[in-house]
Amino acid sequence: MVALLALLTEQGQLPLSYLADALDASAATIRRDVALLASQGLLERTHGGARPVKGNRELPVRLRDGRNQESKRRIARKVATLIPQGKHAIGLTGGTTTAEVLRVLRSRSDLTIITNSLSIGLEAAEQGQARVLIAGGVLRSNSLELVGSLAESTMKLVNVGTAVIGADGVSVSGGLTTHDEIEARTNYAMIDRAQTVIVAVDSSKIGHRTLAKMAGLTDFQVLVTDSGAPEEELQGFRDAGIEVHVVEAARLGETTPRGRRTSREVLGFVGD
């Protein structure tokens, strides 16, 4: 069902037959899932199809964790190699890829974690990070990030060595974009305070542009993504002077080092 919501979020209204083919599921399964998600207010049913809830094209954070997860782990491992050794302040925006970066860094006891994400801040504390700063602000339920003037004021008081930034869209023409204008401004406040900015996104975000611009190409120095990204976009980033790192994208049916299935299997792309 998460994969079904993701398709609608990314492509808009779709017929049930398309959803069944794209998710390799039976028509009966798709009809049942659409009915259930509609009853929960997560999509709207149409004649012979479904569409996202009007005015909301953003997938809630609780439903994002399984998407492209193995590629995100590989991106996170590469990002971790770019964080300097020794005492260092690292800023993390909300998102599933930045959460994976935090998990890779769990053995580092010399870091100060700065974030406006409730989920990342709590996970940092649970994994034993001794210095965790969570910027206050207004809670966005879709992303579990604290945003607004209070969060921005907090960011202006800190010095960030390396900021690891997630985004909903990253393109040569549009820079870094997200779904919410207030969140975009708050995340830019972190970017503005960082000596080095690393954008960490899986390839599904490359070449896409969403509602609110967060930052331009001159505001970040490094991009880490996977090999599913369009080469023409990657070359455009390189031409703009951005250091681009590309990890191998996870393949269908490939298991993670921990023996888990890849996200496509977990989310129902294989079978019903």
Side-chain angles (χ1 to χ4, degrees):
M1 285 190 285
V2 177
L4 190 158
L5 281 175
L7 278 175
L8 295 177
T9 298
E10 292 167 359
Q11 299 185 38
Q13 182 172 328
L14 294 171
L16 297 181
S17 57
Y18 179 92
L19 291 168
D21 288 342
L23 301 177
D24 194 19
S26 68
T29 296
I30 293 298
R31 285 195 299 271
R32 183 188 67 228
D33 289 350
V34 165
L36 178 59
L37 292 168
S39 71
Q40 297 174 356
L42 295 172
L43 58 76
E44 295 178 357
R45 301 175 75 174
T46 64
H47 181 68
R51 66 188 176 200
V53 175
K54 188 173 294 185
N56 182 19
R57 298 296 299 275
E58 182 180 8
L59 196 64
V61 69
R62 71 182 188 278
L63 300 177
R64 300 179 202 166
D65 282 349
R67 301 182 63 210
N68 306 320
Q69 199 66 11
E70 176 57 19
S71 291
K72 292 176 182 179
R73 291 190 185 104
R74 296 178 183 184
I75 291 167
R77 289 195 288 270
K78 180 60 183 180
V79 170
T81 68
L82 304 176
I83 306 300
Q85 294 299 313
K87 290 184 178 181
H88 196 70
I90 177 172
L92 296 169
T93 62
T96 53
T97 306
T98 51
E100 288 293 341
V101 173
L102 176 66
R103 290 163 194 152
V104 175
L105 294 171
R106 68 168 57 245
S107 62
R108 293 278 302 268
S109 61
D110 50 1
L111 296 175
T112 297
I113 305 298
I114 301 169
T115 186
N116 64 316
S117 165
L118 280 182
S119 55
I120 286 181
L122 290 172
E123 184 163 346
E126 290 172 357
Q127 74 180 33
Q129 293 290 346
R131 295 173 296 278
V132 181
L133 186 156
I134 303 178
V138 178
L139 178 64
R140 284 198 71 232
S141 57
N142 265 8
S143 65
L144 294 182
E145 288 183 87
L146 297 161
V147 301
S149 58
L150 181 58
E152 292 166 32
S153 297
T154 302
M155 292 298 176
K156 292 176 182 178
L157 298 175
V158 299
N159 293 312
V160 179
T162 302
V164 181
I165 307 296
D168 297 302
V170 183
S171 64
V172 173
S173 60
L176 307 185
T177 57
T178 187
H179 289 284
D180 182 80
E181 292 178 353
I182 300 176
E183 182 177 307
R185 290 197 300 269
T186 300
N187 288 348
Y188 179 77
M190 179 186 291
I191 291 170
D192 190 50
R193 297 299 296 170
Q195 296 176 24
T196 302
V197 178
I198 301 174
V199 174
V201 293
D202 69 81
S203 58
S204 69
K205 311 300 194 308
I206 302 295
H208 294 281
R209 182 191 300 197
T210 55
L211 174 67
K213 185 170 182 176
M214 186 192 314
L217 297 188
T218 59
D219 294 312
F220 65 99
Q221 294 77 46
V222 183
L223 170 67
V224 184
T225 188
D226 65 74
S227 57
E231 180 55 37
E232 60 271 21
E233 281 287 325
L234 297 182
Q235 188 56 51
F237 293 123
R238 296 186 186 101
D239 292 344
I242 295 166
E243 180 181 324
V244 177
H245 297 269
V246 180
V247 303
E248 186 66 26
R251 298 184 298 274
L252 179 61
E254 187 173 3
T255 57
T256 73
R258 284 174 277 184
R260 298 176 183 171
R261 294 174 297 165
T262 59
S263 59
R264 288 177 63 87
E265 291 175 283
V266 172
L267 296 180
F269 282 85
V270 181
D272 289 351

